[in-house]
Every structure is written in C-alpha cells, then in structure tokens.
Amino acid sequence: MIDDLDRIMAVMASSFDPAWGEAWNRRQVEDALAFGNCHYFLISVEGKAVVEPEAAAGFSLSRTGYEEEELLLLAVAPEYRRLGLGRSILDALKLAAAGRGAKRLLLEMRKGNPAQSLYSGFGFYQIGERKEYYRTPAGNRIDALTFACDIV
Ligand SMILES: CC(C)(COP(=O)(O)OP(=O)(O)OC[C@H]1O[C@@H](n2cnc3c(N)ncnc32)[C@H](O)[C@@H]1OP(=O)(O)O)[C@@H](O)C(=O)NCCC(=O)NCCS
C-alpha cells in the first residue's frame, strides 16, 4: 500500500534538480513529521486533497511556529506544472496555517529559483537576504532570499 510518505517521496524524486541539492531524503522527511509541529499537504492531479488510493501530483511540508508557519518544501511533479497546482497548494497551506493560528507564512529559497514568480504572485514579499548561504553539491555558494506572506 502506498502511504503518504511514499507519495511525498515519489514527487520529491522527480521534482528537484540534483544540481541544487535541495531534495530531502526519506529519513529527513520522516524525522520532520515525527515532530508534532510539522505538517504536509498532498494535492491530486485534479487539484484536490489526495484521497486514498490516489497518487500525488505535488506536496508542501511546513513547520508551525509562534504565529508563523514556515514553508519548508513545495514541489509539483514536472508533468503537472503550470496548471495552477502550486498556487492551489499555497492556498491550502494558508488556510490550514490560519487554522493553526499563524499570522503569516515564511519561506526561504535560493536566489534565482523560478518559484519566486509563484511566490510573488501569491503575495509573498522579500524580508531578507543571506549572502552565500547555500552550498551546491558542486561546492558553489548561492544566496538565500527570505519571504513572508501576511495572513489576513
Ligand atoms: C515551483 C513549483 C512548485 C511551481 O508549481 P506549479 O504547479 O507549476 O505552479 P503554478 O502552475 O501554480 O504556477 C502559478 C504561477 O506561478 C508562476 N510560475 C510558476 N512556475 C514558474 C516558472 N517555472 N517560471 C516562471 N513563473 C512561474 C506563473 O506566474 C504561474 O502562472 P501561469 O502558469 O499562469 O503563468 C514547481 O515548479 C516545482 O516543483 N519546482 C521544483 C521545486 C522547487 O523549486 N520548489 C520551490 C522551492 S522549495
């Protein structure tokens, strides 16, 4: 039987370019979910919450903090991109985070990630920059940008 961790890892495997070293391994996801403050959302191809036994087209992983919810990972499998699923995942995250008491969403991404267009269009605005914060598997340093999105 496919469980939700399998669903997350299936999308993870196809979604992240290994050149950036951004994908998490199964153990990292398992460890995050073992803490009560981490949450995931799985979206189906039709743009709805996944129902057993469907596969997932995308997912988010987030962490709840005091009045804030940090988006740790967001991915949509390549064959389902530019169909609005990423935006739908953010909609679902915002709603769920509000229900958990969050006043804003936070995220951090590598400078130059095209995902920035999605985030800006959704209402995220830049709040910080960390110079040479990430190191790629090839050893290159890349800046990190941090963004917030108010939940009103
Ligand atoms: C980023 C990602 C989640 C977007 O998912 P998606 O389902 O394709 O996004 P959507 O279809 O909801 O996009 C909504 C809007 O965001 C913008 N957008 C999304 N992806 C974009 C891209 N690659 N380049 C430019 N704009 C983009 C567009 O304005 C798009 O609207 P449009 O298609 O009508 O022009 C997906 O590309 C992905 O999984 N990337 C690899 C993993 C990653 O980098 N995750 C983010 C950092 S953790």
Side-chain angles (χ1 to χ4, degrees):
M1 194 184 91
I2 301 178
D3 67 14
D4 285 349
L5 185 57
D6 292 329
R7 291 182 171 90
I8 290 172
M9 295 316 297
V11 175
M12 188 92 72
S14 65
S15 293
F16 291 91
D17 182 343
W20 305 113
E22 292 170 334
W24 290 22
N25 63 35
R26 192 178 180 92
R27 180 66 189 272
Q28 288 172 301
V29 178
E30 246 173 349
D31 286 351
L33 293 176
F35 287 98
N37 64 343
C38 281
H39 308 275
Y40 66 90
F41 177 73
L42 289 163
I43 199 162
S44 70
V45 177
E46 288 81 27
K48 303 196 173 109
V50 162
V51 179
E52 193 71 36
E54 290 175 327
F59 74 90
S60 65
L61 185 66
S62 62
R63 180 169 50 213
T64 304
Y66 178 69
E67 295 192 344
E68 291 176 339
E69 180 112 355
E70 183 182 4
L71 178 60
L72 300 171
L73 284 175
L74 170 70
V76 171
E79 62 270 38
Y80 302 119
R81 288 184 189 164
R82 304 306 288 266
L83 299 172
L85 294 182
R87 201 192 307 256
S88 296
I89 295 172
L90 292 178
D91 283 333
L93 171 67
K94 195 171 175 181
L95 199 64
R100 292 190 275 268
K103 300 268 195 296
R104 65 177 189 166
L105 303 176
L106 298 175
L107 69 84
E108 184 182 270
M109 51 156 257
R110 94 182 117 77
K111 194 173 191 171
N113 189 333
Q116 185 172 344
S117 296
L118 167 64
Y119 296 139
S120 302
F122 188 77
F124 280 91
Y125 53 91
Q126 192 178 330
I127 55 170
E129 180 163 8
R130 293 167 166 164
K131 287 281 173 203
E132 303 191 340
Y133 186 70
Y134 299 123
R135 187 196 285 262
T136 68
N140 299 315
R141 295 282 190 177
I142 303 176
D143 299 344
L145 304 180
T146 49
F147 292 85
C149 174
D150 299 322
I151 298 176
V152 283

